[in-house]
Amino acid sequence: MKEHLKNDATQMDHILDIIKKQGTEYLNSIEDRPTTINEAFEPVHTELSQTGYGTEETLKIFNERFEPIMVGSSGPRYWGFVTGGSTPASIAGDWLATIYDQNPQSVKEQGDISANIEMETIQLLLKLLQLPNNFLGGFVTGATMSNFTCMAVARQWLGKQQGRDIAKDGLSEPVKVLTATAHSSSIKSLSLLGSGSSNIIRIKTEDDREAISISDLEDQILRLNGEPFLLISSGGTVNTVDFDNFVEIKRLKEKYNFWWHIDAAFGGFAACSEGYRHLLEDWEYADSITVDCHKWLNVPYESAVFLIKDQYKILQVETFQNSNAPYLGDPLDSFGYLNFLPENSRRLKALPAWFSIMAYGKEGYRDIVENNVSLAKQFGQFVESSNDFKLLAPVRLNTVCFTLKDDNKQDEVIRFMELLNNTGKVFMTPTFYNQHTGIRAAFVNWQTNESDIRLVFDLMNDIITTLK
């Protein structure tokens, strides 16, 4: 063992103390951490050391070169994209996942059986979301891979409806996909699966909404003349958090033959609140669901879950079965995630979620959801009552979509947003909705409070005066 590695191994307590101190300082000051770094990063030509530097010296190099450009993306005023924070319990779980460094595949074979933690976490998540336990789930890196996993099994289902085994023989005919406002990750998944992003049949939306028009959906179904298809519906769109009418989709599913997928990446957590759970009524009848944990569950990044009805377990194994691991009989009897999802190599992604759900329970997540929604609505009221800004859509849940009130200043919207983000006090992202360039503020962080939205709105009023 070389000298630096030997020294680090004997000094692990000291190294972890240093990291703990630095991490604690970051978390304790995250409210003041800039949400944007305005200074351009200057890359340098880094030579590969012959002997290395050791961990402590490498930390010093990191702190000199990279630490200053780490933004407060897990803080209370990072409202860009739909970025959650990390609860204290999820940080503990994430550190332990790294330390124990498990390979969660099997639940009862020799060697690592940490997949049991993953299975238990899925059951806890189903209870949190008030879904039945007839879904088989697993952890993947994000909504893209969750959508990919669900649609891969859906593609296999569709092939079997037509007497084809697509997993073995490949695609020979187009896969019909119906959707209205599918997230870009779903479109990317269709491309990766060979289904083709241009083969989508676009469904009209309800007037002034992003939700599927049920009447147009049924018209499009009838035009398919009984041909099986995949329906991608939304459990919270990214612009306006609009939900498709799951009650009506369930009714259609009773009449027609299709695979029903719901992308509920962050909107699914509305189920934590009795006040908003009605938005998800009948979603338990879907064949597959995407849920993103690093959004509203507030766990560290690279954490999402796919949920697929366990009645399709054979199709799932046919789709993802490792080539040298044939199954006999019921694949759940000798369960291994190796044969149920795309990745052969995974870390124990479930552990941060397990820690956080166990630590804060139903009431903890209900409070996070209801607090975020309340703040979004309050921020929306500030916008609505302003002389300079206007809402582009009603605040339905936890995202506020707005623009400058003066339509003649549409070319200044992005400039305004850049000036706002450049303060380092808040971060929002641009969008285009209802023929307007707009700005999105997404509220999913457990730390955000009323003082944050007042601070940001004051900044907005200060900055808009510079554009007049």
Side-chain angles (χ1 to χ4, degrees):
M1 188 184 293
K2 292 297 182 180
E3 200 63 28
H4 283 312
L5 188 54
K6 184 189 298 183
N7 289 339
D8 283 352
T10 60
Q11 293 292 315
M12 275 306 297
D13 55 343
H14 174 63
I15 291 170
L16 290 177
D17 281 342
I18 296 173
I19 298 299
K20 173 190 170 185
K21 183 175 184 294
Q22 181 166 325
T24 302
E25 288 174 354
Y26 168 81
L27 293 172
N28 287 341
S29 61
I30 198 167
E31 281 192 37
D32 302 317
R33 189 82 177 186
T35 54
T36 300
I37 300 298
N38 296 319
E39 296 179 10
F41 174 68
E42 297 292 341
V44 299
H45 180 69
T46 305
E47 295 290 344
L48 179 60
S49 168
Q50 188 69 29
T51 60
Y53 300 101
T55 300
E56 196 165 353
E57 184 61 28
T58 299
L59 178 62
K60 291 178 183 177
I61 296 170
F62 167 82
N63 285 336
E64 289 173 4
R65 296 195 53 226
F66 300 123
E67 203 280 339
I69 64 171
M70 297 293 181
V71 300
S73 57
S74 54
R77 292 188 301 277
Y78 197 92
W79 302 344
F81 314 106
V82 188
T83 304
S86 296
T87 63
S90 73
I91 292 171
D94 199 58
W95 279 28
L96 289 175
T98 297
I99 290 168
Y100 285 99
D101 198 20
Q102 304 290 287
N103 179 18
Q105 299 292 0
S106 175
V107 295
K108 58 183 179 182
E109 302 298 330
Q110 288 184 321
D112 173 21
I113 58 168
S114 62
N116 286 285
I117 298 173
E118 187 161 347
M119 298 286 279
E120 182 172 314
T121 308
I122 294 296
Q123 291 303 309
L124 290 171
L125 191 61
L126 291 173
K127 290 181 173 70
L128 183 67
L129 299 177
Q130 298 187 48
L131 284 168
N133 62 2
N134 60 347
F135 283 94
L136 178 65
F139 278 76
V140 288
T141 56
T144 301
M145 285 309 298
S146 176
N147 283 324
F148 177 90
T149 304
C150 294
M151 286 185 233
V153 180
R155 186 187 65 172
Q156 184 70 355
W157 170 86
L158 186 143
K160 289 300 180 76
Q161 301 300 302
Q162 300 172 333
R164 298 182 289 149
D165 187 334
I166 294 175
K168 283 186 177 180
D169 302 328
L171 277 172
S172 56
E173 299 175 23
V175 172
K176 298 294 175 62
V177 180
L178 276 61
T179 191
T181 50
H183 188 263
S184 59
S185 64
S186 294
I187 310 302
K188 179 187 285 190
S189 298
L190 293 172
S191 177
L192 291 170
L193 287 164
S195 302
S197 57
S198 64
N199 287 326
I200 293 173
I201 299 172
R202 290 287 182 182
I203 307 301
K204 294 177 183 177
T205 58
E206 299 287 350
D207 291 342
D208 296 321
R209 292 192 47 195
E210 293 183 298
I212 284 174
S213 164
I214 297 299
S215 60
D216 187 57
L217 172 59
E218 187 158 20
D219 287 345
Q220 295 290 348
I221 293 173
L222 291 171
R223 290 177 192 173
L224 291 175
N225 294 318
E227 185 178 351
F229 64 92
L230 165 60
L231 173 68
I232 302 175
S233 62
S234 294
T237 57
V238 292
N239 274 330
T240 66
V241 204
D242 210 348
F243 288 73
D244 291 327
N245 188 331
F246 299 151
V247 174
E248 286 299 305
I249 294 175
K250 177 204 169 192
R251 178 185 64 80
L252 293 178
K253 189 167 173 57
E254 292 169 348
K255 294 173 61 177
Y256 305 107
N257 187 30
F258 62 92
W259 180 284
W260 178 15
H261 174 66
I262 299 176
D263 184 344
F266 66 96
F269 288 97
C272 296
S273 167
E274 290 304 317
Y276 302 108
R277 193 184 183 283
H278 66 277
L279 296 168
L280 296 154
E281 185 178 352
D282 282 350
W283 73 322
E284 66 268 23
Y285 293 99
D287 297 298
S288 59
I289 300 173
T290 282
V291 178
D292 225 341
C293 298
H294 57 229
K295 289 185 170 69
W296 224 346
L297 195 68
N298 278 241
V299 305
Y301 251 101
E302 284 200 26
S303 181
V305 163
F306 66 82
L307 299 171
I308 299 172
K309 285 284 176 62
D310 59 15
Q311 71 191 68
Y312 302 116
K313 59 195 174 194
I314 301 298
L315 296 178
Q316 197 166 346
V317 172
E318 288 176 352
T319 304
F320 297 115
Q321 181 180 357
N322 215 37
S323 59
N324 62 350
Y327 69 91
L328 296 172
D330 188 342
L332 296 185
D333 288 340
S334 56
F335 180 84
Y337 272 114
L338 192 72
N339 300 315
F340 281 85
L341 44 67
E343 302 144 312
N344 281 10
S345 302
R346 302 183 306 143
R347 73 194 299 263
L348 186 51
K349 297 178 188 297
L351 196 56
W354 183 87
F355 261 81
S356 205
I357 296 171
M358 290 290 286
Y360 309 120
K362 290 182 179 180
E363 291 187 2
Y365 277 100
R366 179 201 65 200
D367 290 348
I368 291 173
V369 166
E370 292 182 350
N371 177 62
N372 285 153
V373 176
S374 175
L375 292 172
K377 290 184 175 180
Q378 187 173 350
F379 187 70
Q381 289 170 0
F382 288 169
V383 169
E384 202 167 18
S385 61
S386 167
N387 293 323
D388 298 302
F389 309 101
K390 66 178 179 180
L391 292 174
L392 286 175
V395 180
R396 294 188 176 90
L397 201 64
N398 63 323
T399 294
V400 181
C401 187
F402 68 98
T403 191
L404 302 186
K405 180 168 279 188
D406 188 346
D407 284 346
N408 294 320
K409 293 185 176 180
Q410 274 287 287
D411 58 345
E412 296 184 21
V413 174
I414 299 302
R415 176 60 180 156
F416 167 80
M417 185 196 70
E418 289 173 345
L419 290 171
L420 182 63
N421 287 345
N422 283 345
T423 66
K425 299 293 186 182
V426 67
F427 184 79
M428 301 186 200
T429 41
T431 190
F432 188 79
Y433 180 73
N434 200 17
Q435 306 303 311
H436 284 76
T437 300
I439 302 170
R440 287 174 55 253
F443 294 80
V444 286
N445 191 293
W446 66 276
Q447 301 171 88
T448 308
N449 58 46
E450 187 174 340
S451 65
D452 292 310
I453 63 170
R454 292 188 179 278
L455 183 155
V456 171
F457 195 66
D458 287 344
L459 282 173
M460 289 168 57
N461 288 320
D462 289 343
I463 290 170
I464 196 65
T465 60
T466 68
L467 298 178
K468 290 181 178 179

